[in-house]
Amino acid sequence: MNDHDLLETYEPVLRFAKSERFFPMAVEHYLERCSILPSGPLGAAGLLFHLNEPLATFIGKLEGGQYFLRFINEPLYDADA
Amino acid sequence: MWLGVSSALAMGAGYYFFGWAGVEIAFALKELIASHTNILVENAFISMRDSMRDEADHDVVSLPMEIASGDGFRIGYQGENFHEPVVKSTSYLKRVMSDRKVTRPSVKEWRRMVLNPEPDWANYKGLWGVKSALSDESGPPGPKWDRPDNLFNVNPCVRREKPLEWLRMLEERQ
């Protein structure tokens, strides 16, 4: 059994509630529309080394985890809630 | 989805072999018995929705309407499901925000992709969604998340991190 056969045999089947607002999608397409933002000082410094680079080309090279991605253009901030 | 598909190789076998699917099927069968649902009718799984409403969270939840055992056996509605009734949240804020314009992926079809060799993005260590100061509202950490510090840590969302435990919590409330 090769990798594709193994994947086909044990592929997860996902079903969602009608109220679900977040669905799986291709990572590359997701990253194309995302902005990356720092959640700490180390993250802010790390992003300075990758200005003007497409997100998909450097996201895996970032040190540490002080980052988060924003997909939607008009996010609901905590203050809105 | 590609992240999800990759998990088929990384985790899928583990879930199925070690009983994840079994737990899920047990939940579904328990519901079927309790609600006296005829699984041969088209709306068998839809009819359970109202009884699984989470009023505290204003979300509508239900068990997966299609159940896969991992060996090719599947039950549940597998056809076009756009005619299923939609239950709106009782929360004004969530109802309004749910009606906002959404961005949809340009590619609708899902395809299997083996992540070997590992793509660059797989090594990303941050959050895959927005970080929020509210508990349980931050985006999900990725598989390479390694942030033990308290200052920037996030509280895992039970609904997302441990869905079966969340279902148990809902059942206990009822």
Side-chain angles (χ1 to χ4, degrees), chain A residues 38-77:
Chain A
S39 61
L42 294 178
L47 290 179
L48 292 176
F49 294 102
H50 300 284
L51 296 174
N52 301 321
E53 282 186 49
L55 189 56
T57 63
F58 72 85
I59 190 171
K61 299 181 179 69
L62 294 171
E63 293 292 330
Q66 291 186 5
Y67 306 95
F68 63 90
L69 299 176
R70 194 176 76 188
F71 178 71
I72 55 178
N73 298 322
E74 298 175 3
L76 176 64
Y77 291 104

Side-chain angles (χ1 to χ4, degrees), chain B residues 45-153:
Chain B
F45 291 82
I46 301 171
S47 61
M48 302 176 192
R49 185 167 293 130
D50 286 342
S51 63
M52 292 294 288
R53 191 182 183 96
D54 176 16
E55 283 297 341
D57 197 52
H58 300 291
D59 273 335
V60 180
V61 298
S62 66
L63 286 169
M65 289 176 281
E66 182 177 327
I67 300 170
S69 62
D71 58 1
F73 177 72
R74 296 181 180 183
I75 59 172
Y77 185 60
Q78 299 177 39
E80 192 270 327
N81 62 351
F82 289 106
H83 299 298
E84 293 178 12
V86 176
V87 182
K88 290 280 189 176
S89 171
T90 57
S91 161
Y92 172 78
L93 179 63
K94 287 197 173 185
R95 196 167 60 245
V96 170
M97 299 311 292
S98 296
D99 290 336
R100 292 189 310 168
K101 181 182 178 183
V102 298
T103 301
R104 298 185 185 281
S106 55
V107 179
K108 294 180 179 178
E109 292 77 22
W110 292 10
R111 56 192 172 92
R112 300 182 187 95
M113 178 184 289
V114 178
L115 300 182
N116 186 17
E118 201 171 54
D120 182 72
W121 53 258
N123 293 306
Y124 173 60
K125 302 179 184 66
L127 295 177
W128 284 86
V130 174
K131 186 178 189 305
S132 171
L134 299 174
S135 62
D136 291 350
E137 292 294 337
S138 287
K144 298 297 176 70
W145 174 261
D146 57 351
R147 297 275 307 283
D149 55 293
N150 293 324
L151 183 59
F152 297 107
N153 207 359

